[in-house]
Amino acid sequence: MSDSTTTNLESGTSGSHLQTERGVTHIADSVVGKIAALAAREVNGVVDLGGPAASAIGGVVGRIRGEEHSTAGVGVEVGERQAAIDMSMKCEYPLPLHEVADAVRENVVDRVESMTGLEVIEVNISVLDLAFPGGEEEEAEREAERQRQETASEPSRVR
Amino acid sequence: MGAAEVSPVAVARVAAAAAMRTPDVVDLHSGVAGEFATYGGGERVAGVRLRRRDPPARLEVRVTARYGRPLDEVAADVRDNVLLDLSGTLPGQPPATVDVRVADLVFPGSGDRS
C-alpha cells in the first residue's frame, strides 16, 4: 500500500446500504483497483498506468494476467463505506497534464462510486512519465533510412 | 436439546449454491491460498464460512463477480438468495446475517480469471 494514502477512512455505519441489518457488503481492494484502472485507461491522454518501475505505485493485485486489466500503478484503500485511490501514470505529450488528471479523477470517482456504492474521498494522481506521439516509431524509421543509405552508398565489391 | 443439528458443511453447501445462481456471480472465492472455506467431515466448501461460535450465527460468502452491474447490487442479490435458500431448506437455523465480500472481478470476454 502506498504511503501517500494517509486519509483516515471513516468507519461509521450509518447511511450506507453496504451495511445492512442482514449483513455487511465488502468490496475488496483489488476489485476497486481494477475498476479504477479501467476507468483511467479510458481517458484520452493516458498512455499507460504505472511508470518507471522504481517510482511507480505498486499494483494491488499480484496475479494479474493480461496488460489490459493490470492494476500496476494503482493503490487503493477501502474502508467500510469509503475508498481512497492513488494512481501513477504515463501521459501523452503535449496534452495539458492537469486537464488529463482532472478527467481521470472524474472518471475514476464516477465509475468506482456507481459500480461499488463506496464514496471515493480522494484520487491522488502522479504523472511519472510522458509519451511523445510517434517518437519511437519515427526514431526507428530514421534509423532504418540511415542504414539503407549507408548500404546504398557502399561501393559494390563485385562488378 | 430437541433441535436437529445441521452441520456447518450442509449450511455452507446450500449457501454456496444460492450464491452461484446469482446473476453476475462467476465463482466463489476462497482466498489466495484457497483457505477461505468451510470444512467438516472430510469435505470442503470453498468461499463460504459459517461463524456460529458467538450467536447469532453469521455467514460470510466471498465471490468473484463479472464486471457490468453495480457490485453492491450483486452482493445484495447474493445475500437475498442465500437467506432465502437457507430459510427454505434449513428450517429453525437461519443465520441472522450474511456478509458478502466481492473478492475479485473479471471482465467479460477476457481471459482474466486471476
Side-chain angles (χ1 to χ4, degrees):
Chain A
M1 191 57 58
S2 159
D3 294 333
S4 56
T5 302
T6 52
T7 316
N8 289 321
L9 300 176
E10 289 178 38
S11 56
T13 55
S14 62
S16 171
H17 56 288
L18 295 175
Q19 272 84 38
T20 72
E21 287 177 359
R22 301 162 70 213
V24 173
T25 294
H26 190 262
I27 314 286
D29 291 12
S30 60
V31 170
V32 174
K34 283 186 179 181
I35 296 169
L38 186 68
R41 283 174 202 279
E42 282 173 356
V43 174
N44 199 21
V46 175
V47 177
D48 200 2
L49 298 181
S55 50
I57 295 165
V60 287
V61 180
R63 299 182 304 137
I64 292 287
R65 284 187 287 272
E67 272 302 298
E68 194 186 346
H69 299 127
S70 165
T71 56
V74 183
V76 176
E77 194 180 337
V78 179
E80 287 179 14
R81 57 195 182 89
Q82 294 182 321
I85 301 169
D86 299 323
M87 314 191 89
S88 55
M89 59 191 61
K90 181 179 187 176
C91 291
E92 190 181 319
Y93 183 88
L95 298 178
L97 298 177
H98 58 287
E99 282 175 22
V100 173
D102 282 348
V104 167
R105 190 172 291 113
E106 200 164 309
N107 204 34
V108 167
V109 169
D110 212 46
R111 195 61 62 81
V112 170
E113 289 194 342
S114 65
M115 281 295 295
T116 65
L118 291 161
E119 180 196 356
V120 177
I121 55 166
E122 59 181 22
V123 180
N124 299 311
I125 296 169
S126 308
V127 178
L128 297 182
D129 202 1
L130 288 176
F132 300 93
E136 284 173 26
E137 280 168 38
E138 277 174 26
E139 189 64 35
E141 221 164 79
R142 242 176 277 135
E143 178 69 15
E145 179 65 22
R146 198 174 55 80
Q147 282 183 355
R148 270 198 298 278
Q149 284 174 353
E150 263 179 25
T151 313
S153 62
E154 270 178 25
S156 179
R157 285 180 292 169
V158 292
R159 296 176 194 240
Chain B
M1 294 290 279
E5 183 70 11
V6 180
S7 76
V9 169
V11 174
R13 213 183 286 129
V14 170
M20 280 301 289
R21 73 176 160 82
T22 306
D24 296 316
V25 169
V26 177
D27 207 354
L28 294 161
H29 195 280
S30 56
V32 177
E35 75 286 355
F36 189 84
T38 298
Y39 304 87
E43 278 186 87
R44 174 178 176 279
V45 182
V48 183
R49 195 168 275 173
L50 183 64
R51 306 172 197 281
R52 56 179 176 191
R53 197 151 293 168
D54 318 300
R58 291 180 81 82
L59 191 72
E60 185 177 345
V61 180
R62 297 189 181 178
V63 299
T64 297
R66 182 181 292 112
Y67 184 85
R69 208 149 60 96
L71 298 173
D72 44 347
E73 281 180 29
V74 175
D77 289 351
V78 168
R79 180 176 300 116
D80 287 347
N81 283 343
V82 169
L83 285 171
L84 183 72
D85 282 16
L86 286 181
S87 65
T89 52
L90 301 167
Q93 277 217 337
T97 59
V98 175
D99 296 336
V100 180
R101 182 179 177 89
V102 181
D104 201 3
L105 190 62
V106 296
F107 295 88
S110 84
D112 181 7
R113 290 292 304 272
S114 59

